[in-house]
Amino acid sequence: MKKPFSFFKTASLLLPALLLGACAQTPLKSEPQTPATAEVAPATVEAQQTESKQEHSGPLAPLAWLEGCWRGNVNQREFREHWLPLRGDMILGISHTVLGDKTQDYQFLRMELRDDAVHYVIAAHDEKEHRFRLSGETTDQEDTIYTFTNLEDVFPQTVSYRKASGGWMYITVEGKLNGADRKVIYPIRRIGCESGEFLIK
């Protein structure tokens, strides 16, 4: 079996603690923090309103909600994802994990249309690309779950992005590692890219 790629170095480091307590550390959706308020120039407000009304079409449109910045904390590690707007049949992103003031890991991400299917691609800074194909879109109460499947013999075999209410998203990675089933959940919440304040959206 091939070794798990570096996107999940953090996952392998966190597995024992996360498997026992990731869900317990998930903040309650019912207690969102109020974002900080600040005066915004009318032109900026108008631009934001125009952008918010923009309609997307095509296979990637259901994933356009990823746009923006996200942050989560587990076991003293802060992990972030930043996704650019859907443009040209592609959504580009980057992830960054920090422990204290030290970078633990980072990857370049993208959602793209290829061979008439949506693919989630992870490009680690020191390894080749790893591709996951969108294999399902399901709903659980008010949440929508997008599942991506990797057919390579590496951990993880699936990655899912769960769009939840109150500005929350849950990223789940799972599969077999050294012959045993493994599952890691990353609770992550939408933030203002400049302010870093939690947002409800």
Side-chain angles (χ1 to χ4, degrees):
M1 177 182 290
K2 300 178 182 177
K3 295 181 180 179
F5 52 90
S6 67
F7 176 76
F8 297 102
K9 282 180 183 175
T10 304
S12 63
L13 291 171
L14 299 178
L15 270 173
L18 287 176
L19 291 171
L20 293 173
C23 294
Q25 296 182 32
T26 301
L28 297 175
K29 298 180 189 177
S30 60
E31 299 179 358
Q33 297 182 15
T34 303
T37 57
E39 292 186 6
V40 182
T44 304
V45 172
E46 182 178 351
Q48 290 174 344
Q49 291 174 344
T50 301
E51 183 177 355
S52 66
K53 293 180 181 178
Q54 181 180 357
E55 294 184 1
H56 298 286
S57 60
L60 282 168
L63 292 161
W65 61 271
L66 282 169
E67 177 187 346
C69 298
W70 304 80
R71 185 179 77 212
N73 292 276
V74 170
N75 292 348
Q76 300 180 342
R77 287 176 172 82
E78 180 188 83
F79 44 96
R80 295 195 182 202
E81 287 197 0
H82 184 180
W83 290 91
L84 297 177
L86 167 58
R87 297 178 65 231
D89 289 328
M90 187 176 292
I91 309 173
L92 296 175
I94 188 168
S95 70
H96 188 200
T97 302
V98 172
L99 175 61
D101 60 351
K102 301 294 184 182
T103 291
Q104 295 281 292
D105 201 9
Y106 66 92
Q107 297 82 31
F108 302 101
L109 315 172
R110 67 181 186 269
M111 302 281 183
E112 66 179 11
L113 186 63
R114 179 178 293 194
D115 301 326
D116 296 323
V118 174
H119 291 260
Y120 171 46
V121 184
I122 300 165
H125 62 279
D126 58 353
E127 294 184 12
K128 68 174 185 177
E129 291 185 347
H130 295 270
R131 184 175 300 276
F132 298 75
R133 180 176 177 141
L134 180 64
S135 57
E137 178 182 336
T138 58
T139 57
D140 182 4
Q141 297 181 1
E142 296 180 357
D143 297 357
T144 305
I145 306 166
Y146 302 87
T147 301
F148 300 87
T149 303
N150 175 10
L151 300 181
E152 297 181 23
D153 188 21
V154 295
F155 178 86
Q157 280 75 47
T158 63
V159 176
S160 66
Y161 276 70
R162 183 183 188 115
K163 180 186 179 185
S165 60
W168 284 101
M169 170 169 68
Y170 300 90
I171 304 172
T172 302
V173 298
E174 56 188 314
K176 288 190 176 295
L177 184 62
N178 298 325
D181 291 331
R182 295 287 185 267
K183 182 177 181 179
V184 185
I185 302 173
Y186 295 88
I188 192 167
R189 191 171 175 188
R190 187 182 293 278
I191 61 172
C193 293
E194 294 184 5
S195 68
E197 298 289 337
F198 289 119
L199 304 177
I200 301 174
K201 183 177 179 181

